[in-house]
């Protein structure tokens, strides 16, 4: 797949000159391979935020941020969001190909078989305060899973670990919600598909409640989960790789990924967007005031759901979600003043020199919360929904890393700028 390359880059510094090999990806990206840089020159690189650093070779996701392209395993996100189910996409991302009918059937069967969590895990849920953030619960419970499934770190067990996580995290996610609202936990139902089962566990009020999954909601959630399923070396995926590189178990790596996702600059932005829109709405829809605040270098306020490290033209997921928000609200016969507000906010920002100059556009988190609201999902659960969608992506990243012949523990270097050696000062003389 990757092209052989005769070219090299030349690095010249003081009396040293080295030829550095280049690697060309299948979509034409070129990387300078600096693996031998330090041993040959004594130099290291400096790249805070890793904006110029390729941390791995990967076959999972291709993004072209200039042209707004996102593909999982070569398939365009728009096509997948339109035509595939989330379980098909999970399989595609984790195992590298679209499943045949028999493969999908077996996979879905395995997910159903493994959806229950150990009864004793309920005791952990009981121990959390009712107002615990569901992301904290999710991350803790994924680590806790490893105590119930202490599988040795052995490639022959990887498939079972993967199935366990894909099957059980949705149960944990739904239980964390049930815990927060004081309703009984609803067991997974093997008669329902993955997304329908999740909705059932979330919204069925009691085992006797005749709740029926609304197909409009099920379809919308499938789409949302597909759009969140994978996004190459972002903060949480890199965290999963970093933690997984110590050969700790998959559960601990995924739990770390959940924690990384929680922050408002990453997945936590979806909750922050709705809170921001609520605040602007309560403030008389004074969009200009908030746009000015976002531009003010002396204010910490940012337009949440705007900007992206990689997308510099548009985020294709945001385009799909903007249209989907309209469609889904229509289909459900709902109106949401926050959707109109979001559209007006987008328009003002996109016409403002500050946002134009910095190439800041709505990202995936800008419209997703409005859809989650329409589906009845409370805002504290938004980032959990993101995690549920992203799970196959994290797993695929971890699996690819563990199977990579170039595998090494992740261990960056640093440029030390602290004190040079100095004598210890006894406490009485400080
Ligand atoms: N509102 C106002 N100004 C912004 C924003 C924003 N949302 N995003 C970036 N900027 C400005 C920033 O202040 C800086 O300005 P200057 O050059 O004058 O210092 C410039 O744009 C570049 O920003 P940056 O922080 O260097 O960009 P980054 O690539 O490091 O950060 C980001 C990307 C997504 C963290 C950032 O755009 C941001 O904080 N956005 C809001 C949070 C958000 O929506 N996060 C979700 C990201 S997409 C999904 C996901 O990852 O989960």
């Amino acid at each position: 797949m990757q092209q052989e390359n005769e070219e090299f880059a030349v690095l010249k510094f003081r009396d040293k000159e080295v030829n550095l090999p280049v690697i060309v990806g299948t979509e034409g990206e070129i990387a300078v391979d600096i693996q031998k840089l330090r041993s040959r020159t004594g130099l290291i690189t400096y790249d805070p935020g890793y904006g110029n650093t390729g941390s791995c070779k990967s076959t999972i996701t291709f993004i072209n941020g200039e042209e707004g392209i996102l593909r999982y395993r070569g398939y365009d996100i728009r096509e997948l969001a339109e035509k595939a189910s989330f379980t098909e996409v999970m399989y595609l991302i984790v195992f590298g190909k679209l499943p045949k009918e028999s493969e999908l059937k077996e996979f879905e069967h395995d997910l159903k078989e493994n959806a229950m969590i150990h009864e004793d895990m309920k005791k952990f849920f009981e121990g959390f305060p009712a107002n615990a953030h569901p992301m904290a619960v999710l991350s803790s419970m994924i680590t806790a899973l490893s105590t119930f499934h202490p599988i040795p770190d052995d490639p022959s067990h990887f498939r079972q670990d993967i199935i366990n996580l894909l099957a059980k995290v949705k149960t944990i996610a739904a239980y964390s919600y049930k815990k927060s609202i004081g309703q009984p936990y609803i067991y997974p139902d093997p008669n329902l598909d993955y997304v329908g089962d999740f909705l059932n566990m979330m919204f069925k009020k009691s085992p006797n409640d005749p709740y029926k999954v609304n197909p409009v909601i099920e379809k919308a959630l499938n789409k949302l989960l597909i759009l969140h399923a994978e996004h190459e070396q972002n903060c949480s995926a890199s965290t999963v790789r970093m933690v997984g590189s110590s050969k700790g178990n998959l559960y601990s790596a995924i739990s770390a990924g959940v924690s990384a996702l929680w922050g408002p600059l990453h997945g936590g932005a979806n909750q922050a967007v709705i809170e921001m829109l609520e605040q602007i709405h309560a403030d008389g829809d004074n969009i200009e005031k908030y746009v000015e605040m976002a531009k003010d270098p002396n204010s910490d306020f940012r337009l949440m759901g705007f900007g992206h490290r990689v997308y510099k033209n548009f985020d294709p997921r945001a385009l799909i979600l903007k249209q989907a928000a309209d469609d889904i609200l229509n289909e459900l016969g709902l109106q949401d003043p926050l959707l109109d507000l979001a559209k007006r906010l987008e328009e003002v920002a996109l016409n403002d020199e500050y946002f134009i100059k910095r190439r800041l556009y709505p990202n995936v988190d800008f419209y997703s919360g409005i859809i989650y609201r329409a589906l009845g999902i409370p805002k504290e659960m938004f980032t959990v929904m993101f995690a549920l969608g992203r799970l196959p992506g994290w797993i695929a990243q971890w699996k690819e890393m563990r199977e990579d012949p170039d595998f090494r523990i992740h261990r960056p270097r640093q440029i030390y700028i602290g004190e040079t050696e100095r004598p210890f000062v006894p406490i009485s003389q400080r």
Side-chain angles (χ1 to χ4, degrees):
M1 298 263 274
Q2 177 198 316
Q3 291 167 29
E4 287 294 323
N5 206 286
E6 300 283 300
E7 288 176 296
F8 51 82
V10 182
L11 187 129
K12 205 167 165 209
F13 179 70
R14 293 188 183 153
D15 58 342
K16 292 206 172 81
E17 185 171 315
V18 275
N19 292 345
L20 296 168
V22 293
I23 300 170
V24 183
T26 51
E27 292 282 351
E29 300 117 310
I30 303 174
V32 180
D33 178 349
I34 58 159
Q35 289 184 81
K36 299 261 162 59
L37 178 68
R38 189 169 173 277
S39 61
R40 289 200 186 147
T41 65
L43 300 173
I44 62 168
T45 58
Y46 178 60
D47 187 20
Y50 308 123
N52 305 280
T53 298
S55 62
C56 60
K57 294 179 199 160
S58 182
T59 60
I60 307 169
T61 292
F62 172 67
I63 301 177
N64 179 327
E66 297 299 320
E67 292 176 26
I69 295 172
L70 168 60
R71 295 187 205 127
Y72 302 158
R73 305 277 187 191
Y75 298 101
D76 191 275
I77 190 68
R78 285 165 298 195
E79 219 180 343
L80 290 171
E82 211 46 57
K83 299 178 183 165
S85 70
F86 181 53
T87 36
E88 265 181 300
V89 171
M90 278 201 239
Y91 189 101
L92 169 71
I93 289 175
V94 174
F95 300 112
K97 60 169 197 140
L98 282 172
K100 292 189 188 130
E101 221 165 319
S102 58
E103 290 166 329
L104 185 61
K105 231 176 174 170
E106 189 194 344
F107 179 57
E108 286 178 339
H109 173 264
D110 288 349
L111 294 181
K112 287 176 184 184
E113 280 282 293
N114 290 279
M116 296 273 282
I117 55 172
H118 195 289
E119 280 294 287
D120 286 350
M121 284 191 83
K122 284 189 189 165
K123 294 184 190 136
F124 292 129
F125 282 102
E126 279 152 27
F128 290 114
N131 62 353
H133 196 287
M135 281 299 273
V137 176
L138 183 67
S139 154
S140 315
M141 295 305 280
I142 291 175
T143 305
L145 263 183
S146 67
T147 66
F148 289 87
H149 303 276
I151 295 173
D153 186 70
D154 175 341
S156 67
H157 292 282
F158 284 178
R159 191 174 196 279
Q160 186 57 49
D161 284 338
I162 290 170
I163 294 290
N164 276 348
L165 277 159
L166 291 174
K168 294 180 201 301
V169 165
K170 82 172 191 312
T171 311
I172 293 174
Y175 281 21
S176 72
Y177 173 58
K178 288 300 199 193
K179 157 74 194 177
S180 73
I181 56 169
Q183 282 182 4
Y185 307 119
I186 304 295
Y187 287 122
D189 181 346
N191 298 309
L192 297 171
D193 287 339
Y194 184 94
V195 172
D197 188 32
F198 173 71
L199 289 167
N200 195 54
M201 289 193 283
M202 286 279 290
F203 297 122
K204 196 178 171 88
K205 291 194 181 67
S206 71
N208 299 325
D209 177 10
Y211 170 82
K212 283 263 164 305
V213 175
N214 178 339
V216 173
I217 294 186
E218 190 175 0
K219 190 169 159 229
L221 191 51
N222 252 293
K223 185 176 280 202
L224 274 161
L225 294 173
I226 290 170
L227 292 174
H228 286 86
E230 171 43 31
H231 216 238
E232 52 119 304
Q233 308 312 318
N234 53 74
C235 175
S236 56
S238 301
T239 301
V240 168
R241 280 186 180 256
M242 173 67 87
V243 174
S245 80
S246 71
K247 293 201 175 177
N249 64 58
L250 175 59
Y251 303 93
S252 59
I254 298 297
S255 165
V258 170
S259 299
L261 185 75
W262 191 4
L265 297 189
H266 193 9
N270 58 11
Q271 179 177 341
V273 168
I274 288 294
E275 286 166 351
M276 174 188 77
L277 293 173
E278 285 171 344
Q279 192 184 339
I280 301 175
H281 192 49
D283 203 359
D285 283 0
N286 192 346
I287 289 174
E288 283 71 20
K289 172 177 158 189
Y290 288 87
V291 169
E292 286 312 310
M293 262 163 64
K295 289 157 54 175
D296 181 353
N298 300 315
S299 158
D300 282 343
F301 179 80
R302 284 189 163 196
L303 270 198
M304 299 314 287
F306 255 78
H308 199 276
R309 173 65 60 81
V310 182
Y311 294 119
K312 296 297 173 199
N313 233 332
F314 63 94
D315 178 339
R317 304 166 301 173
L319 284 191
I320 300 172
L321 286 173
K322 184 179 180 185
Q323 181 61 48
D326 267 332
D327 295 347
I328 291 160
L329 264 71
N330 276 340
E331 284 182 79
L332 294 172
L334 297 173
Q335 282 194 328
D336 187 343
L338 295 193
L339 177 57
D340 300 329
L341 177 61
K343 286 183 188 166
R344 278 186 283 135
L345 179 58
E346 176 186 345
E347 201 182 322
V348 172
L350 291 187
N351 286 301
D352 190 294
E353 193 47 37
Y354 174 95
F355 292 87
I356 296 170
K357 197 171 139 213
R358 290 170 181 75
R359 307 177 75 188
L360 302 171
Y361 293 85
N363 58 50
V364 68
D365 294 316
F366 195 65
Y367 286 104
S368 63
I370 287 168
I371 306 181
Y372 290 134
R373 264 159 73 94
L375 306 188
I377 294 167
K379 63 183 176 208
E380 291 73 23
M381 282 292 289
F382 288 1
T383 316
V384 171
M385 301 307 299
F386 193 150
L388 194 59
R390 185 55 56 85
L391 185 60
W394 289 330
I395 290 173
Q397 295 288 344
W398 176 88
K399 183 168 174 288
E400 186 175 67
M401 176 193 66
R402 289 299 305 266
E403 292 168 356
D404 188 342
D406 290 342
F407 172 87
R408 285 178 93 191
I409 189 168
H410 289 196
R411 206 307 185 182
R413 294 207 170 246
Q414 64 163 15
I415 297 147
Y416 178 69
I417 55 165
E419 299 285 348
T420 52
E421 187 174 11
R422 48 184 173 163
F424 178 77
V425 182
I427 197 161
S428 58
Q429 291 166 30
R430 282 176 221 159

